[in-house]
């Protein structure tokens, strides 16, 4: 199948005034455009597992995934969804008062449960008056027809976003990190979700072992050719208790310095299609679990350096994005600008 990369010519940084003076299409800008106000996420926990943990595909999970299934900042799963929302709102209001929220099911694989259960928890979240968007983090191989039908139904009530953990397009890296599905599964999931009008956000990890700049930019160019609406760029965190941490202990591999990461982010953003909303430029792992890179503990400092470098280099999202066509079987032969 052939996909079209849409071209949006951007000749000067001043052209980026449409993003409220930011040099990239930020989630904050997009939400304010849609809703006219600041919107924050409430991290929820549906109490689910993952086929990569319960023995269906494996028992160890992806090698970088902590015991909390990337949900260390999510709410207590023993609480009802409404109780989680109430508790999360109270915590957030102490720092960032807001009127409306994204109900974000974050921990583990949030479509990996019977449809009746998914209906009950998602409906509880989406019917909360202050919820404006339901966002669900999951795996492409956990989106059967009945699940997608449910998501499409919910999308008629309020917008539903589906976050897919792709991480990389390269099958050798996917095997190394034990992702558990091939690239074609991701492509099929995106097509079926989009056919139902659901917005798709793709997660990419920067700094995976064996992934140099060229391989990473191939992933970005590939995603330019997919019908996705958002992306999360996530720094690789090496967390205690993971198989990645043991790999790093036994045979240390290179990890980004702060400056290397900043330059890598800029390269990705410069290549990224301008209409794709950037939901994340980095991330903050639990400080008590973080082994490396330790400089990432200060997310605010990292973001400040990224924004500073955008200004210093007078660059922006899509600067090097050009119209092109890419086939699904050409991911290992893409030309890098």
């Amino acid at each position: 199948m052939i996909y079209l990369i849409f071209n949006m010519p951007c000749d000067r940084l001043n052209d980026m005034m449409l993003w409220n003076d930011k040099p990239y299409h930020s989630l904050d800008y997009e939400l304010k455009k849609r809703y006219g106000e600041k919107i924050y996420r409430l991290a929820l926990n549906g109490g689910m597992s993952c086929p990569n943990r319960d023995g269906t595909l494996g028992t160890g999970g992806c090698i970088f995934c902590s015991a909390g299934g990337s949900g260390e900042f999510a709410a207590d799963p023993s609480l009802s969804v409404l109780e989680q929302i109430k508790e999360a709102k109270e915590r957030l209001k102490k720092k960032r008062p807001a009127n409306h929220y994204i109900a974000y099911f974050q921990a583990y694989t949030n479509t990996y449960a019977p449809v009746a259960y998914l209906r009950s928890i998602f409906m509880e979240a989406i019917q909360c008056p202050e919820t404006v968007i339901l966002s669900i983090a999951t795996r492409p191989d956990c989106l059967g027809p009945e699940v997608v039908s449910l998501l499409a139904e919910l999308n008629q009530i309020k917008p539903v976003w589906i976050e897919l953990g792709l991480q990389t397009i390269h099958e050798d890296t996917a095997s190394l990190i034990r992702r558990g599905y091939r690239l074609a599964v991701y492509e099929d999931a995106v097509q079926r979700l989009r056919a139902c009008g659901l917005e798709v956000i793709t997660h990419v990890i920067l700094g995976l072992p064996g992934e140099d700049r060229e391989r990473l930019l191939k992933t970005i160019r590939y995603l330019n050719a997919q019908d996705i609406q958002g992306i999360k760029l996530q720094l690789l965190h090496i967390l205690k208790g993971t198989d990645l941490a043991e790999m790093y202990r036994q045979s240390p591999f290179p990890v980004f310095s702060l400056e290397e990461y900043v330059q890598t982010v800029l390269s990705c953003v410069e290549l990224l299609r301008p209409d794709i909303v950037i939901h994340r430029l980095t991330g903050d792992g639990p400080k008590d679990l973080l082994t490396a890179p330790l400089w990432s503990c200060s997310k605010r400092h990292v973001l400040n350096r990224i924004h500073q470098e955008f200004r210093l280099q007078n660059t922006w999202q899509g600067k090097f994005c050009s119209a092109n066509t890419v086939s699904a079987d050409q991911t290992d032969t893409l030309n890098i600008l």
Side-chain angles (χ1 to χ4, degrees):
M1 181 175 290
I2 302 295
Y3 305 97
L4 177 66
I5 298 179
F6 297 98
N7 182 42
M8 179 184 290
C10 303
D11 297 326
R12 302 181 309 277
L13 187 58
N14 288 339
D15 292 334
M16 296 301 94
M17 294 294 286
L18 72 162
W19 296 327
N20 286 347
D21 294 333
K22 278 190 176 179
Y24 60 91
H25 193 157
S26 71
L27 176 61
D28 181 62
Y29 163 80
E30 185 65 23
L31 290 171
K32 286 178 179 176
K33 182 180 75 172
R34 296 190 194 187
Y35 298 101
E37 61 180 300
K38 189 84 171 177
I39 307 289
Y40 291 100
R41 288 190 188 92
L42 301 178
L44 308 176
N45 193 327
M48 284 168 255
S49 183
C50 172
N52 218 358
R53 287 180 175 273
D54 69 359
T56 302
L57 293 176
T59 57
C62 295
I63 64 172
F64 53 79
C65 194
S66 66
S70 300
E72 283 80 9
F73 302 112
D76 182 351
S78 68
L79 301 175
S80 72
V81 170
L82 287 181
E83 288 172 334
Q84 290 185 41
I85 289 174
K86 181 179 179 181
E87 185 179 87
K89 279 166 41 183
E90 290 303 316
R91 287 198 307 268
L92 188 62
K93 282 181 178 178
K94 296 176 182 178
K95 299 179 180 179
R96 308 179 186 95
N99 297 314
H100 297 96
Y101 305 91
I102 299 171
Y104 177 35
F105 285 87
Q106 178 179 17
Y108 299 104
T109 302
N110 290 283
T111 57
Y112 191 55
V115 172
Y117 175 73
L118 297 177
R119 177 183 293 278
S120 68
I121 63 170
F122 293 159
M123 194 66 76
E124 193 174 357
I126 209 167
Q127 289 181 336
C128 178
E130 292 152 310
T131 297
V132 293
I133 296 165
L134 175 64
S135 188
I136 301 166
T138 190
R139 294 169 56 94
D141 55 352
C142 293
L143 289 165
E146 290 186 352
V147 171
V148 174
S149 178
L150 169 63
L151 298 175
E153 177 187 335
L154 295 168
N155 195 46
Q156 299 303 308
I157 303 172
K158 290 176 184 176
V160 176
W161 294 353
I162 305 301
E163 303 198 15
L164 300 178
L166 176 66
Q167 320 311 357
T168 179
I169 65 168
H170 302 288
E171 298 291 4
D172 56 344
T173 308
S175 178
L176 173 68
I177 65 177
R178 295 199 304 259
R179 189 178 67 189
Y181 65 85
R182 297 187 66 81
L183 187 60
V185 177
Y186 166 82
E187 293 177 353
D188 176 67
V190 171
Q191 291 172 36
R192 290 187 294 114
L193 292 167
R194 292 298 296 139
C196 295
L198 296 152
E199 294 194 28
V200 177
I201 299 140
T202 298
H203 294 212
V204 175
I205 294 181
L206 282 59
L208 290 167
E211 293 266 307
D212 60 14
R213 179 181 181 276
E214 181 176 342
R215 285 167 66 86
L216 176 56
L217 293 184
K218 283 182 178 179
T219 292
I220 299 299
R221 289 198 59 165
Y222 166 84
L223 290 174
N224 273 344
Q226 301 301 305
D227 187 9
I228 66 170
Q229 290 63 56
I231 191 169
K232 283 186 175 180
L233 301 176
Q234 170 68 54
L235 168 67
L236 178 70
H237 289 131
I238 301 174
L239 302 178
K240 296 174 185 176
T242 64
D243 289 344
L244 182 66
E246 181 61 18
M247 180 191 302
Y248 185 69
R249 185 187 69 81
Q250 292 186 6
S251 182
F253 51 85
V255 296
F256 282 127
S257 68
L258 172 58
E259 293 309 313
E260 288 171 336
Y261 185 71
V262 169
Q263 296 305 322
T264 299
V265 167
L266 262 65
S267 294
C268 291
V269 174
E270 288 174 330
L271 198 59
L272 190 66
R273 210 174 69 216
D275 63 288
I276 295 176
V277 178
I278 296 179
H279 289 237
R280 178 181 293 165
L281 288 174
T282 184
D284 47 352
K287 294 181 180 179
D288 58 334
L289 296 180
L290 187 64
T291 296
L294 294 177
W295 54 261
S296 67
C297 285
S298 177
K299 182 178 179 181
R300 182 181 296 275
H301 176 65
V302 177
L303 289 174
N304 285 343
R305 278 292 299 116
I306 292 171
H307 293 155
Q308 179 186 46
E309 199 63 22
F310 270 115
R311 293 192 298 272
L312 290 174
Q313 295 191 25
N314 191 35
T315 193
W316 57 88
Q317 181 176 343
K319 183 176 183 179
F320 299 132
C321 175
S322 60
N324 200 354
T325 56
V326 181
S327 65
D329 58 358
Q330 289 178 321
T331 56
D332 288 330
T333 58
L334 294 176
N335 294 322
I336 303 301
L337 292 173

